[in-house]
Amino acid sequence: MERTISDLWLKRRDIVSDGFDDALTYISKIIPLSIVEIPTGTECWTWIIPPKWSLSEGLISSGSEVVLDVSDHPLHVMSYSQPIRKRIKKEELMDHIYTYPERPNAIPFGFSYYENNWKFCMQHNKLAEFREDNYDICIDAEFTEGTLKVGELVIPGKNKQEIVLVAHLCHPSMANDNLSGVAVLIGTALELLKQPQNRFTYRFLFLPETIGSIAYLSQREHLIPNMKYSIIVDCVGHNDVLSLQHSRQANTELDICASYVLKEETLMYREGAIGEICGSDERVFNGPGVGIPSICISRSKFWGRGEWPYPEYHSSDDIPNIIVIDNLVKTKNIIIKILDTLNKNYLPKRNYKGPICLSRYGLWVDWKKDRKLNMSLNDIMCSLEGGKSVLEIAKETGISFSDLFAWLDKLHKEDLLKMQSGVSD
Amino acid sequence: MERTISDLWLKRRDIVSDGFDDALTYISKIIPLSIVEIPTGTECWTWIIPPKWSLSEGLISSGSEVVLDVSDHPLHVMSYSQPIRKRIKKEELMDHIYTYPERPNAIPFGFSYYENNWKFCMQHNKLAEFREDNYDICIDAEFTEGTLKVGELVIPGKNKQEIVLVAHLCHPSMANDNLSGVAVLIGTALELLKQPQNRFTYRFLFLPETIGSIAYLSQREHLIPNMKYSIIVDCVGHNDVLSLQHSRQANTELDICASYVLKEETLMYREGAIGEICGSDERVFNGPGVGIPSICISRSKFWGRGEWPYPEYHSSDDIPNIIVIDNLVKTKNIIIKILDTLNKNYLPKRNYKGPICLSRYGLWVDWKKDRKLNMSLNDIMCSLEGGKSVLEIAKETGISFSDLFAWLDKLHKEDLLKMQSGVSD
Amino acid sequence: MERTISDLWLKRRDIVSDGFDDALTYISKIIPLSIVEIPTGTECWTWIIPPKWSLSEGLISSGSEVVLDVSDHPLHVMSYSQPIRKRIKKEELMDHIYTYPERPNAIPFGFSYYENNWKFCMQHNKLAEFREDNYDICIDAEFTEGTLKVGELVIPGKNKQEIVLVAHLCHPSMANDNLSGVAVLIGTALELLKQPQNRFTYRFLFLPETIGSIAYLSQREHLIPNMKYSIIVDCVGHNDVLSLQHSRQANTELDICASYVLKEETLMYREGAIGEICGSDERVFNGPGVGIPSICISRSKFWGRGEWPYPEYHSSDDIPNIIVIDNLVKTKNIIIKILDTLNKNYLPKRNYKGPICLSRYGLWVDWKKDRKLNMSLNDIMCSLEGGKSVLEIAKETGISFSDLFAWLDKLHKEDLLKMQSGVSD
């Protein structure tokens, strides 16, 4: 995962661009991606696919010396800037300079995909160097017909119902946002490809944020009814705890499952309602007229409550160095565990009447060995009516999913239980 | 509004009386009232219309001097007292004297519409003047066939569904209770008569409290199904904040709307459940077998929690002087605003899929200009499923009704939205 | 009730045993019981009726002297111990000794109905007397074909729906657990037998705990649909407040009723959810595939929260002396009151429209006499829509059931009300 990040990091992965295409090609050498292409100008619901943007030069010069050059850092020119070449008054130039005063040594990430504009982005501290009255500026950018591309990998399950896993691959020269998510999903896919067939079909998507989801779903509306859940993975490498943003529906099996796994597997984590932590592709997947329950896994702070996601967010400081490799591994494991729990979860339905004669079937649990399970047996025996999943019963009784799953498995072997699937079927 | 109060104040507006009739005649010179008459003796659900009561004299004399005379103050004789003329022992007389010890210089308002009795009402401090052993008393009152009268004004709307606005006009010689409510509804009617046709039909009723509502509704049961909501206006002139008493249903569009308008338009106000603030005609309109959601607008304290509505309540101290004219104007404006919000409220239903491409339609809201609206756009776009009204979305997101209404109007103009009426239709 | 306890106390009332049968014979001399018999070996859902167990001798001897003899106390041999007679090493013997270190002078109650084992039970302090290396032990016990017996008394009501009252009669030589419950139900039955026919049918059951309920219900499944509620009475004599454990359904008419009666009739009481206080026959009656809402009346502490039911629980200290006779009487009265309230409860449905003209029907309640009822009249008049029972309205308004019942009775006499039964019908 480390390698993917360092290899792709400095690529100009603008939303329709050669850099983005290169990154997809790179990934398809690791996992078997197919590429979906949607041409410039295509109407996608209320959106239109923008043209491909290619930047060959970006300069500010005082005449005597070059003050700023995009070849020094890809962020120096705002993504999708209009081409321009002229001598300009300092005053006018300043209207087209974008800085982060709060982080004066970092270059901010600027973009303007849908409004015609041009901008140079630079360190706030660099402003002091602009002492001349006039500057020569040049942005040599080309807008051409292209295709927005989405990398897609489907791992078929027993069931046509899908869990969609999404990471956005755009955002030039940033590492944590979101090559961290991309790397984690590549790792997740590699692991799932090795597993025997699962209950659900998994669909991995690598795409440009927002417009990529809109393009993909609007052109493939027939897929939506089979999309049971989606998981958006976003900014998961930096040094912070995991954050779970719930779906708009808030209390689906996936929500319960993810919340449960995070509680069991991590010491600390954030949990928030939709809009409180992220504002990414769940806005499309869980959005109007689509409505697929979508959780986000990230390490971002509460953006919806006014917090900054992480200090280096959307700036030239978002470099591979801020990523803790172990955080990527842990995130991947959490996602695998969530999928695994979803996979195993079922609706147990009793085959008995009255409390079971536990000793007769070797089902007795000594309270000296497991007081909690012992004290919960009666509640568990009363919960197996087919309406609650193993996960819900685990949550209600406070017994771990795996302990409960194991105890119920004994009942199943004694024919005291029917395993109804159907929670998500 | 001031004039109405001073002109009608001292009239003996008992429930069936010449004074009440005169007051209706007075009002019909300002707004076009029609008069509904229900004769004495009519069975109205479990009630019977009482006879007309006319008082020509009310005296207590010690023989040598007149100690109390109703011509000094209309409240000196209890409303609907039986006629009596005799010499009486002081002890027996005292059983028929009604005072307010807590407000010793005020004459209390006494009434006994449905039980045969007679009483003199006086200042508690006056009791000390009764030093004789015997008194001559005279109440010259006549009970005759009459008609209970209700003044009615209907302003037709596009919709047959009605909002009923009620103020009781009875209670002799009291100003705030409830000529304040009467004056506010006259003002409201005058303003609505000038407006173009509204969504709802408005029905204004001026009537004797309780029995008037019962008489009216029981004789016109066919009107009830079209009565969507009612607003009872009661004691709104004195120097206190506004009080909103919710309907028995508690959470209707009218409740949400009134609560919302009070929050937006006033600094402080009271809010209580049914029975906590008032005990007036909402008991009939929102009562058994009628069930029209009815809110009360007043300035009363929490009567249902043991508070006294206002210091001068039901006494000779309830005079025009305690009414702040500006409070009447503000109350009228609040009612107009509630009606206006109800009028404008609709069920927005989206015509788009996915989040809208806001910049394309000029719908983007810069977070520097309106951070709250900017942060809420995604939630708003997800709320336009036709099941929630503009008002409900405003309440949920914390955006003001007018700002939200304006933003949604832009969507409507871009054909991104259908305006479904139907909340109250 | 005192007599029953002292007469039955020391009997060896093991689950299938002569002692248990004797106790049932004893009770049937007080109330007309019929005896249901289920033979050893019968499959009852997932359970099998155990054989009859008869103990004729139980001894530990050091050779020179008898160290322990079951004829000194019936608890000295664990219930359903296997027969054994041999010379044994002290070390091996110690694996078959059961003591309560926390209560070192009491003999604990041991039982092993479904696993083959044998044990002696003794005072923890007595262990010090075991100084020899070898002991002669003898348990002369016989396992034979027998019948599990349930004592049953049905008091027919107007309605086929039943309230089942259950006390377990097993547990040798213990008094509070549960001869207290048995005595209270005998007293309850005697009182109900004297009453005129009630709405519900009452079914009293005296049985061995758990297996008795399972045996009875599994062999009489056709009775279950008519079993509306059950009340389990368990450990109600010792010096503690009453405890109400709610049914699994938690909010049935019986739950509301019991909770209400305890609040009205006692100064202090415990209230807990199912599993928090008791773990007795409600596990069967309110268990899987049966589901009869069952409350438990006891004086036990919160067992489900880790408390010990009462200090002498399951030990030789549970003697008649710890039972406060007045507690039995009070428990019986509470049960009678619960049944009486259930009996009287109905769904009042109004026959009027609008608020009632209270004075016309003598229904007015002077606020000086009963302020609470006066202030609640309007809410009460609005609650009589047929969907809420008298009990629910009493609970909501805070008026006592009897005051409300009395006031509603006046409405009924004026034909302003229909008494709909049907809550439990």
Side-chain angles (χ1 to χ4, degrees), chain A residues 351-383:
Chain A
N351 249 346
Y352 54 87
K353 286 186 190 173
I356 299 166
C357 185
L358 298 170
S359 56
R360 183 178 174 190
Y361 301 97
L363 289 165
W364 179 251
V365 176
D366 192 341
W367 66 265
K368 284 168 213 150
K369 286 190 189 150
D370 189 342
R371 182 177 158 80
K372 196 159 182 58
L373 182 51
N374 167 288
M375 292 293 284
S376 300
L377 288 180
N378 207 56
D379 282 340
I380 295 169
M381 285 191 282
C382 285
S383 299

mmCIF file of all heavy atoms in Angstrom, chain A residues 351-383:
data_model
loop_
_atom_site.group_PDB
_atom_site.id
_atom_site.type_symbol
_atom_site.label_atom_id
_atom_site.label_comp_id
_atom_site.label_asym_id
_atom_site.label_seq_id
_atom_site.Cartn_x
_atom_site.Cartn_y
_atom_site.Cartn_z
ATOM 1 N N ASN A 351 -36.474 -23.582 16.927
ATOM 2 C CA ASN A 351 -37.152 -24.835 16.593
ATOM 3 C C ASN A 351 -37.664 -25.507 17.858
ATOM 4 O O ASN A 351 -37.885 -26.703 17.872
ATOM 5 C CB ASN A 351 -36.114 -25.787 15.964
ATOM 6 C CG ASN A 351 -36.396 -25.984 14.505
ATOM 7 O OD1 ASN A 351 -37.472 -25.640 14.036
ATOM 8 N ND2 ASN A 351 -35.441 -26.556 13.797
ATOM 9 N N TYR A 352 -37.766 -24.758 18.970
ATOM 10 C CA TYR A 352 -38.099 -25.358 20.267
ATOM 11 C C TYR A 352 -39.184 -24.535 20.931
ATOM 12 O O TYR A 352 -39.453 -23.413 20.522
ATOM 13 C CB TYR A 352 -36.852 -25.385 21.177
ATOM 14 C CG TYR A 352 -36.220 -24.026 21.334
ATOM 15 C CD1 TYR A 352 -36.638 -23.135 22.326
ATOM 16 C CD2 TYR A 352 -35.229 -23.597 20.450
ATOM 17 C CE1 TYR A 352 -36.087 -21.870 22.439
ATOM 18 C CE2 TYR A 352 -34.675 -22.335 20.558
ATOM 19 C CZ TYR A 352 -35.107 -21.471 21.554
ATOM 20 O OH TYR A 352 -34.569 -20.224 21.639
ATOM 21 N N LYS A 353 -39.784 -25.128 21.947
ATOM 22 C CA LYS A 353 -40.714 -24.374 22.794
ATOM 23 C C LYS A 353 -40.224 -24.419 24.232
ATOM 24 O O LYS A 353 -39.636 -25.417 24.659
ATOM 25 C CB LYS A 353 -42.112 -24.982 22.733
ATOM 26 C CG LYS A 353 -42.837 -24.694 21.443
ATOM 27 C CD LYS A 353 -44.264 -25.196 21.502
ATOM 28 C CE LYS A 353 -44.904 -25.115 20.119
ATOM 29 N NZ LYS A 353 -46.236 -25.749 20.126
ATOM 30 N N GLY A 354 -40.528 -23.404 24.991
ATOM 31 C CA GLY A 354 -40.071 -23.338 26.379
ATOM 32 C C GLY A 354 -38.583 -23.084 26.412
ATOM 33 O O GLY A 354 -37.905 -23.155 25.375
ATOM 34 N N PRO A 355 -38.046 -22.781 27.608
ATOM 35 C CA PRO A 355 -36.592 -22.664 27.707
ATOM 36 C C PRO A 355 -35.984 -24.027 27.384
ATOM 37 O O PRO A 355 -36.567 -25.069 27.704
ATOM 38 C CB PRO A 355 -36.359 -22.279 29.171
ATOM 39 C CG PRO A 355 -37.632 -22.526 29.889
ATOM 40 C CD PRO A 355 -38.736 -22.566 28.900
ATOM 41 N N ILE A 356 -34.841 -24.033 26.723
ATOM 42 C CA ILE A 356 -34.201 -25.301 26.339
ATOM 43 C C ILE A 356 -33.615 -25.989 27.572
ATOM 44 O O ILE A 356 -33.114 -25.317 28.482
ATOM 45 C CB ILE A 356 -33.056 -25.024 25.335
ATOM 46 C CG1 ILE A 356 -33.611 -24.366 24.072
ATOM 47 C CG2 ILE A 356 -32.309 -26.306 24.972
ATOM 48 C CD1 ILE A 356 -32.525 -23.773 23.193
ATOM 49 N N CYS A 357 -33.693 -27.312 27.599
ATOM 50 C CA CYS A 357 -33.031 -28.091 28.655
ATOM 51 C C CYS A 357 -31.524 -28.096 28.335
ATOM 52 O O CYS A 357 -31.007 -28.994 27.667
ATOM 53 C CB CYS A 357 -33.595 -29.513 28.666
ATOM 54 S SG CYS A 357 -32.958 -30.493 30.020
ATOM 55 N N LEU A 358 -30.848 -27.045 28.776
ATOM 56 C CA LEU A 358 -29.482 -26.774 28.314
ATOM 57 C C LEU A 358 -28.528 -27.927 28.589
ATOM 58 O O LEU A 358 -27.728 -28.314 27.729
ATOM 59 C CB LEU A 358 -28.960 -25.489 28.972
ATOM 60 C CG LEU A 358 -29.759 -24.222 28.618
ATOM 61 C CD1 LEU A 358 -29.321 -23.060 29.498
ATOM 62 C CD2 LEU A 358 -29.591 -23.856 27.152
ATOM 63 N N SER A 359 -28.621 -28.511 29.803
ATOM 64 C CA SER A 359 -27.673 -29.566 30.175
ATOM 65 C C SER A 359 -27.805 -30.774 29.242
ATOM 66 O O SER A 359 -26.840 -31.443 28.927
ATOM 67 C CB SER A 359 -27.896 -29.979 31.628
ATOM 68 O OG SER A 359 -29.240 -30.373 31.813
ATOM 69 N N ARG A 360 -29.030 -31.014 28.767
ATOM 70 C CA ARG A 360 -29.253 -32.166 27.885
ATOM 71 C C ARG A 360 -28.477 -32.065 26.586
ATOM 72 O O ARG A 360 -28.108 -33.072 25.990
ATOM 73 C CB ARG A 360 -30.762 -32.267 27.588
ATOM 74 C CG ARG A 360 -31.139 -33.458 26.749
ATOM 75 C CD ARG A 360 -32.646 -33.508 26.546
ATOM 76 N NE ARG A 360 -33.043 -34.553 25.630
ATOM 77 C CZ ARG A 360 -34.273 -34.689 25.133
ATOM 78 N NH1 ARG A 360 -35.227 -33.832 25.496
ATOM 79 N NH2 ARG A 360 -34.565 -35.661 24.299
ATOM 80 N N TYR A 361 -28.250 -30.827 26.124
ATOM 81 C CA TYR A 361 -27.607 -30.634 24.827
ATOM 82 C C TYR A 361 -26.189 -30.065 24.947
ATOM 83 O O TYR A 361 -25.611 -29.617 23.958
ATOM 84 C CB TYR A 361 -28.455 -29.682 23.966
ATOM 85 C CG TYR A 361 -29.860 -30.184 23.723
ATOM 86 C CD1 TYR A 361 -30.928 -29.754 24.489
ATOM 87 C CD2 TYR A 361 -30.097 -31.134 22.709
ATOM 88 C CE1 TYR A 361 -32.215 -30.221 24.266
ATOM 89 C CE2 TYR A 361 -31.381 -31.610 22.486
ATOM 90 C CZ TYR A 361 -32.441 -31.153 23.263
ATOM 91 O OH TYR A 361 -33.699 -31.613 23.039
ATOM 92 N N GLY A 362 -25.666 -30.054 26.158
ATOM 93 C CA GLY A 362 -24.323 -29.487 26.339
ATOM 94 C C GLY A 362 -24.278 -27.991 26.061
ATOM 95 O O GLY A 362 -23.258 -27.448 25.644
ATOM 96 N N LEU A 363 -25.389 -27.325 26.299
ATOM 97 C CA LEU A 363 -25.462 -25.890 26.008
ATOM 98 C C LEU A 363 -25.290 -25.024 27.244
ATOM 99 O O LEU A 363 -25.292 -23.804 27.178
ATOM 100 C CB LEU A 363 -26.816 -25.566 25.355
ATOM 101 C CG LEU A 363 -26.992 -26.080 23.926
ATOM 102 C CD1 LEU A 363 -28.450 -26.045 23.523
ATOM 103 C CD2 LEU A 363 -26.150 -25.233 22.973
ATOM 104 N N TRP A 364 -25.191 -25.680 28.388
ATOM 105 C CA TRP A 364 -25.063 -24.932 29.634
ATOM 106 C C TRP A 364 -23.756 -24.133 29.644
ATOM 107 O O TRP A 364 -22.727 -24.613 29.184
ATOM 108 C CB TRP A 364 -25.109 -25.905 30.829
ATOM 109 C CG TRP A 364 -24.951 -25.193 32.136
ATOM 110 C CD1 TRP A 364 -23.875 -25.232 32.968
ATOM 111 C CD2 TRP A 364 -25.897 -24.321 32.740
ATOM 112 N NE1 TRP A 364 -24.088 -24.440 34.065
ATOM 113 C CE2 TRP A 364 -25.319 -23.860 33.947
ATOM 114 C CE3 TRP A 364 -27.179 -23.873 32.383
ATOM 115 C CZ2 TRP A 364 -25.984 -22.984 34.811
ATOM 116 C CZ3 TRP A 364 -27.830 -22.998 33.229
ATOM 117 C CH2 TRP A 364 -27.236 -22.554 34.426
ATOM 118 N N VAL A 365 -23.818 -22.919 30.146
ATOM 119 C CA VAL A 365 -22.629 -22.080 30.268
ATOM 120 C C VAL A 365 -22.446 -21.784 31.745
ATOM 121 O O VAL A 365 -23.324 -21.184 32.375
ATOM 122 C CB VAL A 365 -22.802 -20.758 29.487
ATOM 123 C CG1 VAL A 365 -21.604 -19.845 29.706
ATOM 124 C CG2 VAL A 365 -23.003 -21.046 28.007
ATOM 125 N N ASP A 366 -21.348 -22.244 32.307
ATOM 126 C CA ASP A 366 -21.111 -22.059 33.733
ATOM 127 C C ASP A 366 -20.923 -20.570 34.027
ATOM 128 O O ASP A 366 -20.145 -19.896 33.362
ATOM 129 C CB ASP A 366 -19.848 -22.847 34.127
ATOM 130 C CG ASP A 366 -19.712 -22.936 35.641
ATOM 131 O OD1 ASP A 366 -20.340 -22.131 36.358
ATOM 132 O OD2 ASP A 366 -18.980 -23.837 36.094
ATOM 133 N N TRP A 367 -21.648 -20.063 35.020
ATOM 134 C CA TRP A 367 -21.514 -18.623 35.293
ATOM 135 C C TRP A 367 -20.139 -18.285 35.848
ATOM 136 O O TRP A 367 -19.690 -17.149 35.776
ATOM 137 C CB TRP A 367 -22.634 -18.106 36.187
ATOM 138 C CG TRP A 367 -22.654 -18.630 37.593
ATOM 139 C CD1 TRP A 367 -23.373 -19.682 38.070
ATOM 140 C CD2 TRP A 367 -21.918 -18.100 38.713
ATOM 141 N NE1 TRP A 367 -23.136 -19.860 39.398
ATOM 142 C CE2 TRP A 367 -22.252 -18.890 39.832
ATOM 143 C CE3 TRP A 367 -21.023 -17.039 38.883
ATOM 144 C CZ2 TRP A 367 -21.714 -18.667 41.100
ATOM 145 C CZ3 TRP A 367 -20.484 -16.811 40.138
ATOM 146 C CH2 TRP A 367 -20.828 -17.625 41.236
ATOM 147 N N LYS A 368 -19.452 -19.300 36.384
ATOM 148 C CA LYS A 368 -18.088 -19.010 36.863
ATOM 149 C C LYS A 368 -17.148 -18.799 35.681
ATOM 150 O O LYS A 368 -16.160 -18.095 35.778
ATOM 151 C CB LYS A 368 -17.580 -20.156 37.750
ATOM 152 C CG LYS A 368 -18.211 -20.134 39.146
ATOM 153 C CD LYS A 368 -17.934 -21.432 39.893
ATOM 154 C CE LYS A 368 -19.095 -21.795 40.811
ATOM 155 N NZ LYS A 368 -19.245 -23.247 40.996
ATOM 156 N N LYS A 369 -17.478 -19.415 34.539
ATOM 157 C CA LYS A 369 -16.625 -19.259 33.350
ATOM 158 C C LYS A 369 -17.025 -18.028 32.519
ATOM 159 O O LYS A 369 -16.175 -17.326 32.004
ATOM 160 C CB LYS A 369 -16.716 -20.513 32.467
ATOM 161 C CG LYS A 369 -15.958 -21.685 33.090
ATOM 162 C CD LYS A 369 -15.841 -22.853 32.129
ATOM 163 C CE LYS A 369 -15.281 -24.077 32.836
ATOM 164 N NZ LYS A 369 -15.776 -25.326 32.262
ATOM 165 N N ASP A 370 -18.316 -17.794 32.368
ATOM 166 C CA ASP A 370 -18.768 -16.667 31.544
ATOM 167 C C ASP A 370 -20.087 -16.163 32.105
ATOM 168 O O ASP A 370 -21.164 -16.510 31.637
ATOM 169 C CB ASP A 370 -18.921 -17.114 30.082
ATOM 170 C CG ASP A 370 -19.180 -15.928 29.142
ATOM 171 O OD1 ASP A 370 -19.574 -14.841 29.637
ATOM 172 O OD2 ASP A 370 -18.980 -16.090 27.930
ATOM 173 N N ARG A 371 -19.959 -15.340 33.137
ATOM 174 C CA ARG A 371 -21.139 -14.867 33.845
ATOM 175 C C ARG A 371 -22.095 -14.116 32.910
ATOM 176 O O ARG A 371 -23.310 -14.274 32.970
ATOM 177 C CB ARG A 371 -20.711 -13.951 34.988
ATOM 178 C CG ARG A 371 -21.868 -13.446 35.815
ATOM 179 C CD ARG A 371 -21.430 -12.583 37.000
ATOM 180 N NE ARG A 371 -22.532 -11.747 37.415
ATOM 181 C CZ ARG A 371 -23.536 -12.155 38.177
ATOM 182 N NH1 ARG A 371 -23.547 -13.377 38.652
ATOM 183 N NH2 ARG A 371 -24.545 -11.350 38.482
ATOM 184 N N LYS A 372 -21.528 -13.289 32.024
ATOM 185 C CA LYS A 372 -22.363 -12.470 31.157
ATOM 186 C C LYS A 372 -23.209 -13.338 30.218
ATOM 187 O O LYS A 372 -24.411 -13.117 30.070
ATOM 188 C CB LYS A 372 -21.463 -11.527 30.345
ATOM 189 C CG LYS A 372 -22.224 -10.404 29.714
ATOM 190 C CD LYS A 372 -21.332 -9.237 29.363
ATOM 191 C CE LYS A 372 -22.199 -8.137 28.779
ATOM 192 N NZ LYS A 372 -23.256 -7.690 29.696
ATOM 193 N N LEU A 373 -22.562 -14.336 29.625
ATOM 194 C CA LEU A 373 -23.302 -15.204 28.714
ATOM 195 C C LEU A 373 -24.322 -16.030 29.499
ATOM 196 O O LEU A 373 -25.480 -16.160 29.097
ATOM 197 C CB LEU A 373 -22.330 -16.107 27.939
ATOM 198 C CG LEU A 373 -22.942 -17.058 26.891
ATOM 199 C CD1 LEU A 373 -23.871 -16.321 25.930
ATOM 200 C CD2 LEU A 373 -21.845 -17.764 26.085
ATOM 201 N N ASN A 374 -23.894 -16.548 30.669
ATOM 202 C CA ASN A 374 -24.810 -17.299 31.518
ATOM 203 C C ASN A 374 -26.069 -16.485 31.836
ATOM 204 O O ASN A 374 -27.194 -16.962 31.706
ATOM 205 C CB ASN A 374 -24.082 -17.710 32.814
ATOM 206 C CG ASN A 374 -25.027 -18.208 33.901
ATOM 207 O OD1 ASN A 374 -25.771 -17.434 34.501
ATOM 208 N ND2 ASN A 374 -25.021 -19.516 34.135
ATOM 209 N N MET A 375 -25.873 -15.234 32.233
ATOM 210 C CA MET A 375 -27.007 -14.394 32.624
ATOM 211 C C MET A 375 -27.854 -14.001 31.413
ATOM 212 O O MET A 375 -28.976 -13.538 31.570
ATOM 213 C CB MET A 375 -26.505 -13.122 33.315
ATOM 214 C CG MET A 375 -25.865 -13.338 34.674
ATOM 215 S SD MET A 375 -27.028 -13.903 35.960
ATOM 216 C CE MET A 375 -27.909 -12.370 36.336
ATOM 217 N N SER A 376 -27.295 -14.132 30.219
ATOM 218 C CA SER A 376 -28.029 -13.695 29.024
ATOM 219 C C SER A 376 -28.747 -14.831 28.320
ATOM 220 O O SER A 376 -29.530 -14.588 27.399
ATOM 221 C CB SER A 376 -27.059 -13.045 28.031
ATOM 222 O OG SER A 376 -26.435 -11.936 28.613
ATOM 223 N N LEU A 377 -28.491 -16.073 28.740
ATOM 224 C CA LEU A 377 -29.026 -17.209 27.981
ATOM 225 C C LEU A 377 -30.547 -17.135 27.843
ATOM 226 O O LEU A 377 -31.096 -17.409 26.774
ATOM 227 C CB LEU A 377 -28.625 -18.534 28.641
ATOM 228 C CG LEU A 377 -27.146 -18.892 28.496
ATOM 229 C CD1 LEU A 377 -26.856 -20.231 29.183
ATOM 230 C CD2 LEU A 377 -26.747 -18.969 27.025
ATOM 231 N N ASN A 378 -31.210 -16.757 28.924
ATOM 232 C CA ASN A 378 -32.667 -16.723 28.852
ATOM 233 C C ASN A 378 -33.151 -15.667 27.859
ATOM 234 O O ASN A 378 -34.054 -15.913 27.055
ATOM 235 C CB ASN A 378 -33.253 -16.471 30.241
ATOM 236 C CG ASN A 378 -34.638 -17.047 30.354
ATOM 237 O OD1 ASN A 378 -34.835 -18.235 30.129
ATOM 238 N ND2 ASN A 378 -35.607 -16.202 30.649
ATOM 239 N N ASP A 379 -32.514 -14.490 27.901
ATOM 240 C CA ASP A 379 -32.871 -13.446 26.932
ATOM 241 C C ASP A 379 -32.580 -13.904 25.507
ATOM 242 O O ASP A 379 -33.356 -13.646 24.591
ATOM 243 C CB ASP A 379 -32.075 -12.162 27.219
ATOM 244 C CG ASP A 379 -32.665 -11.391 28.394
ATOM 245 O OD1 ASP A 379 -33.850 -11.625 28.714
ATOM 246 O OD2 ASP A 379 -31.946 -10.588 28.988
ATOM 247 N N ILE A 380 -31.449 -14.578 25.326
ATOM 248 C CA ILE A 380 -31.105 -15.050 23.979
ATOM 249 C C ILE A 380 -32.143 -16.066 23.505
ATOM 250 O O ILE A 380 -32.664 -15.958 22.394
ATOM 251 C CB ILE A 380 -29.679 -15.669 23.963
ATOM 252 C CG1 ILE A 380 -28.636 -14.589 24.260
ATOM 253 C CG2 ILE A 380 -29.396 -16.343 22.618
ATOM 254 C CD1 ILE A 380 -27.234 -15.126 24.517
ATOM 255 N N MET A 381 -32.477 -17.023 24.382
ATOM 256 C CA MET A 381 -33.471 -18.038 23.978
ATOM 257 C C MET A 381 -34.808 -17.403 23.609
ATOM 258 O O MET A 381 -35.566 -17.947 22.821
ATOM 259 C CB MET A 381 -33.663 -19.055 25.101
ATOM 260 C CG MET A 381 -32.503 -20.033 25.218
ATOM 261 S SD MET A 381 -32.900 -21.416 26.328
ATOM 262 C CE MET A 381 -32.677 -20.645 27.940
ATOM 263 N N CYS A 382 -35.088 -16.238 24.198
ATOM 264 C CA CYS A 382 -36.353 -15.553 23.889
ATOM 265 C C CYS A 382 -36.240 -14.637 22.677
ATOM 266 O O CYS A 382 -37.215 -14.023 22.263
ATOM 267 C CB CYS A 382 -36.811 -14.737 25.091
ATOM 268 S SG CYS A 382 -37.485 -15.772 26.396
ATOM 269 N N SER A 383 -35.043 -14.500 22.120
ATOM 270 C CA SER A 383 -34.850 -13.555 21.006
ATOM 271 C C SER A 383 -34.829 -14.228 19.652
ATOM 272 O O SER A 383 -34.757 -13.557 18.635
ATOM 273 C CB SER A 383 -33.515 -12.815 21.185
ATOM 274 O OG SER A 383 -33.512 -12.089 22.383
#
